[in-house]
Amino acid sequence: MTKRVGVIGGGQLARMMIAPASELGLEIRVLAEQEGMSAQLAATQVGDYTDLETVRAFVKDVDVVTFDHEHVPQDVLRALVADGVQVHPGPDALQYAQDKLVMRAKLAEAGVPQPDWAGVASRDELQSFLDDHGGRAVVKTPRGGYDGKGVRVVSSGADADDWFEAFAGEQILVEELVDFRRELAQQVARRPSGQMIVYPVVESVQKDGVCAEVFAPAPGASERAIEVAAQIGTQIAESLGVTGMLAVELFETSDERLLVNELAMRPHNSGHWTQDGAVTSQFEQHLRAVCDLPLGATDTLRDAACMINILGGPQGVDIDERFAVAMQAYPAAKIHTYGKASRPGRKVGHINVADDDLDEAVYTARAAAAFFA
């Protein structure tokens, strides 16, 4: 019997699971938040993922549940587990991707390297942290932030007064402002039965808090950095009980340390290059992992790969109109779009190029992406 995978969330990550699900002989069903979302081709239900009965109705005919995002409430997740539903990753793991304060405390307990941090609930507490860390720091909302949202650099205890008011006495997260030379990302896949496999560590470049470019493998990474990144990723996956794909965002500091920035327990922007640059894409791998199937090889197909996000897209023009000219000019570029309308700053697609020369891959990907600006 065909295994049925239910994906909660109808965004581009769910969209990109559709093709590999078909290739694996899996039936994929999507609970979309609204009509016309990126994964509409596989959307079998539209509804509120925070409503338990809506989610129960969706999962009644699937064999395993996974996610396009980490925002499904804990009470809904735990009710599904109590109902006997296979949920991967499960709520015990997802809590660390849902709440950054909970994540920081768990990583500290596990001895994982990370920036100095604290939970603060007042202007005075934030000012005290600033005084101890050179007068500048990063504050983050514990829940819900992504792509640069819910993050700001502060230099005064008063700079987060609006957040203290909004969170009504709850703590927000404050972290030291890390002196880093670049950002890296380590992806790990883990099955419920325990098998794990790592992808090459990559470099990610951010623009206004949003991932703009990814270079794989991370250029110039030392053997030690490669080994330490893999160790950190597998340690986190094992200690948190992650099932499916895990992305560990890392700071590589100016003194050559690796510090954990954030976690994602699903396919991640830093792994989009794997669609055209690795033996097994992160989307196929995630499906293999959550279905407890043997994991695929993570070797690169060429010596290097580059991913460029299409951010915003051409204003006043249907993005599809740019396909033919970009494909004609750069036939080596693999263009992936998400079925979204163009809007400033919005992720509407990405372009992958694999090559034996990183500079050539980067040039081609950037040039092809320019057609969608």
Side-chain angles (χ1 to χ4, degrees):
M1 184 180 70
T2 300
K3 199 158 195 174
R4 298 159 299 185
V5 180
V7 182
I8 298 179
Q12 63 260 26
L13 302 181
R15 176 191 181 99
M16 288 182 275
M17 292 184 209
I18 296 172
S22 177
E23 293 165 358
L24 290 169
L26 303 172
E27 181 181 336
I28 190 166
R29 303 180 180 186
V30 172
L31 172 61
E33 294 88 332
Q34 57 192 27
E35 298 284 353
M37 293 192 69
S38 292
Q40 60 183 317
L41 185 64
T44 56
Q45 185 176 327
V46 174
D48 181 2
Y49 62 79
T50 68
D51 178 71
L52 176 57
E53 294 313 311
T54 297
V55 177
R56 275 183 167 145
F58 171 68
V59 306
K60 66 180 180 181
D61 293 322
V62 302
D63 300 302
V64 61
V65 173
T66 190
F67 309 94
D68 171 85
H69 55 71
E70 295 105 339
H71 306 313
V72 181
Q74 279 284 313
D75 59 345
V76 172
L77 296 172
R78 294 188 183 278
L80 295 183
V81 172
D83 290 344
V85 178
Q86 294 293 311
V87 179
H88 295 300
D92 287 343
L94 271 172
Q95 64 180 322
Y96 302 112
Q98 293 176 327
D99 190 308
K100 295 179 179 66
L101 281 168
V102 174
M103 175 197 75
R104 286 294 182 212
K106 181 65 174 180
L107 295 184
E109 178 185 310
V112 174
Q114 57 182 337
D116 286 343
W117 65 279
V120 294
S122 70
R123 177 190 294 188
D124 290 344
E125 290 178 2
L126 176 55
Q127 187 61 56
S128 178
F129 186 93
L130 287 166
D131 292 343
D132 292 338
H133 292 83
R136 299 184 74 208
V138 177
V139 291
K140 300 179 179 180
T141 56
R143 298 177 297 280
Y146 66 96
D147 286 347
K149 301 176 179 67
V151 179
R152 67 175 66 156
V153 176
V154 298
S155 55
S156 164
D159 288 345
D161 280 353
D162 56 333
W163 284 1
F164 291 131
E165 182 177 352
F167 279 84
E170 294 183 53
Q171 291 185 326
I172 63 173
L173 175 64
V174 57
E175 300 174 352
E176 67 169 310
L177 190 61
V178 176
D179 180 19
F180 64 92
R181 56 184 296 264
R182 62 177 176 175
E183 293 186 65
L184 303 176
Q186 176 66 66
Q187 286 196 299
V188 181
R190 181 175 182 271
R191 295 168 60 185
S193 56
Q195 182 193 6
M196 282 192 288
I197 195 165
V198 299
Y199 282 85
V201 65
V202 303
E203 178 179 352
S204 63
V205 178
Q206 314 297 310
K207 178 182 178 181
D208 298 326
V210 180
C211 180
E213 300 179 332
V214 172
F215 311 128
S222 67
E223 288 299 321
R224 179 182 176 279
I226 293 168
E227 180 181 345
V228 170
Q231 288 176 345
I232 289 172
T234 54
Q235 179 186 358
I236 292 173
E238 183 70 33
S239 61
L240 273 57
V242 178
T243 48
M245 288 300 304
L246 167 70
V248 182
E249 297 181 65
L250 299 159
F251 294 126
E252 183 178 46
T253 68
S254 54
D255 58 357
E256 299 185 342
R257 293 176 298 144
L258 295 183
L259 304 176
V260 174
N261 181 18
E262 295 189 358
L263 307 177
M265 296 180 190
R266 50 172 170 75
H268 187 256
N269 206 160
S270 64
H272 289 354
W273 69 274
T274 61
Q275 289 175 294
D276 305 294
V279 173
T280 309
S281 81
Q282 65 167 343
F283 302 100
E284 177 183 338
Q285 198 79 278
H286 185 72
L287 291 167
R288 285 179 179 236
V290 301
C291 292
D292 208 14
L293 297 170
L295 301 178
T298 57
D299 307 75
T300 57
L301 296 174
R302 304 287 294 273
D303 288 344
C306 176
M307 191 269 337
I308 305 289
N309 268 332
I310 300 172
L311 298 174
Q315 299 303 300
V317 178
D318 187 334
I319 192 171
D320 293 341
E321 294 181 19
R322 304 294 179 93
F323 255 101
V325 289
M327 294 167 72
Q328 176 70 28
Y330 298 99
K334 299 294 187 178
I335 305 167
H336 303 264
T337 60
Y338 306 155
K340 293 180 174 181
S342 298
R343 191 174 69 207
R346 191 183 202 190
K347 291 180 184 175
V348 295
H350 67 272
I351 293 176
N352 288 332
V353 177
D355 198 281
D356 289 331
D357 181 84
L358 177 60
D359 288 342
E360 184 65 24
V362 172
Y363 171 81
T364 303
R366 287 175 176 168
F371 283 96
F372 299 91

